[in-house]
Amino acid sequence: AQSVTQPDIHITVSEGASLELRCNYSYGATPYLFWYVQSPGQGLQLLLKYFSGDTLVQGIKGFEAEFKRSQSSFNLRKPSVHWSDAAEYFCAVGGGSNYKLTFGKGTLLTVNP
Amino acid sequence: DVKVTQSSRYLVKRTGEKVFLECVQDMDHENMFWYRQDPGLGLRLIYFSYDVKMKEKGDIPEGYSVSREKKERFSLILESASTNQTSMYLCAIGQQGFAGGYTFGSGTRLTVV
């Protein structure tokens, strides 16, 4: 069965600081990996995705993520956080023919001025 | 871009009522999903459908059923609503398998009293 672990429930950073959100997955074959963001009162928006190829993927809003097969990880990074990045972030894994995604429990990001 | 519309943003129902949550897409995508989102638990898959009249149970189907009579519409049914079904319900469609990721509706916040 596929699963996702986001070890950090809540992270607080200062505006302008760098950010790394952790994601570990379990999947039997080559996974499809995603990061979504949910701003307060908003729906989920796709930040970036990984299928194959270059293990460093770029997304929207200046985010990037690196796939590390040996560590079963897909961590999300941003070099300099803006106050508008305050939101909840979800990592998801999928694969196979039913296109089912399994989500982590989310990491809430607070940005201090 | 595809648009995913959930018929109600907020809904209040009484225990024991039969509840219908509607999700409509404006394109022709096969894969549609219902998730519920609860604080600290992330998104959990209830049911999904990969074509008209086709459905499969997700991770937490108990107390729910679904209907997909037309390709563009996927309904979630709570046969007899209970207070533990108070939650945010999110509909999603899958575009081009995993290649396009999921597009989510804005959600229905259901309160069962």
Side-chain angles (χ1 to χ4, degrees):
Chain A
Q2 58 200 54
S3 66
V4 174
T5 301
Q6 293 180 247
D8 304 304
I9 296 172
H10 188 191
I11 284 182
T12 300
V13 300
S14 297
E15 191 168 16
S18 64
L19 172 69
E20 182 169 29
L21 302 183
R22 296 184 291 163
C23 172
N24 293 100
Y25 68 89
S26 174
Y27 189 74
T30 300
Y32 292 77
L33 293 159
F34 302 82
W35 275 100
Y36 282 85
V37 60
Q38 186 178 37
S39 298
Q42 303 295 314
L44 277 87
Q45 182 182 21
L46 179 65
L47 277 177
L48 47 77
K49 57 193 175 188
Y50 170 79
F51 298 150
S52 63
D54 192 346
T55 56
L56 186 64
V57 294
Q58 303 297 319
I60 62 171
K61 305 186 180 188
F63 285 92
E64 66 178 27
E66 186 171 13
F67 171 60
K68 293 186 178 180
R69 184 186 299 275
S70 61
Q71 298 177 22
S72 297
S73 70
F74 189 56
N75 294 348
L76 182 71
R77 300 195 293 248
K78 187 169 185 178
S80 178
V81 170
H82 188 261
W83 63 266
S84 60
D85 293 324
E88 192 158 22
Y89 291 80
F90 294 93
C91 181
V93 67
S97 59
N98 60 24
Y99 305 112
K100 182 179 82 167
L101 282 185
T102 297
F103 287 80
K105 294 182 179 180
T107 297
L108 181 65
L109 174 66
T110 298
V111 181
N112 287 335
Chain B
D1 285 350
V2 64
K3 186 175 180 183
V4 183
T5 302
Q6 293 186 233
S7 52
S8 303
R9 187 76 175 100
Y10 298 95
L11 212 51
V12 180
K13 295 292 182 181
R14 296 194 180 278
T15 301
E17 275 194 77
K18 190 169 186 176
V19 181
F20 293 85
L21 303 183
E22 304 289 336
C23 175
V24 179
Q25 59 163 314
D26 64 352
M27 296 187 79
D28 208 29
H29 297 290
E30 286 87 11
N31 302 313
M32 299 186 75
F33 307 83
W34 275 108
Y35 287 84
R36 64 177 283 177
Q37 182 180 14
D38 300 287
L41 297 179
L43 282 74
R44 294 179 290 166
L45 181 63
I46 305 171
Y47 266 97
F48 62 102
S49 168
Y50 44 87
D51 207 342
V52 175
K53 297 190 185 295
M54 307 297 281
K55 60 186 179 184
E56 282 199 29
K57 294 179 180 179
D59 300 317
I60 52 164
E62 297 77 19
Y64 303 94
S65 62
V66 290
S67 172
R68 193 165 180 198
E69 297 296 320
K70 294 184 178 181
K71 200 164 193 176
E72 69 270 18
R73 186 180 297 269
F74 190 36
S75 303
L76 180 69
I77 304 160
L78 287 66
E79 296 289 344
S80 177
S82 64
T83 54
N84 62 14
Q85 292 178 309
T86 292
S87 185
M88 171 67 86
Y89 290 87
L90 295 168
C91 175
I93 65 158
Q95 302 179 75
Q96 304 163 356
F98 282 124
Y102 280 14
T103 297
F104 283 86
S106 54
T108 295
R109 183 164 296 280
L110 172 67
T111 302
V112 182
V113 298

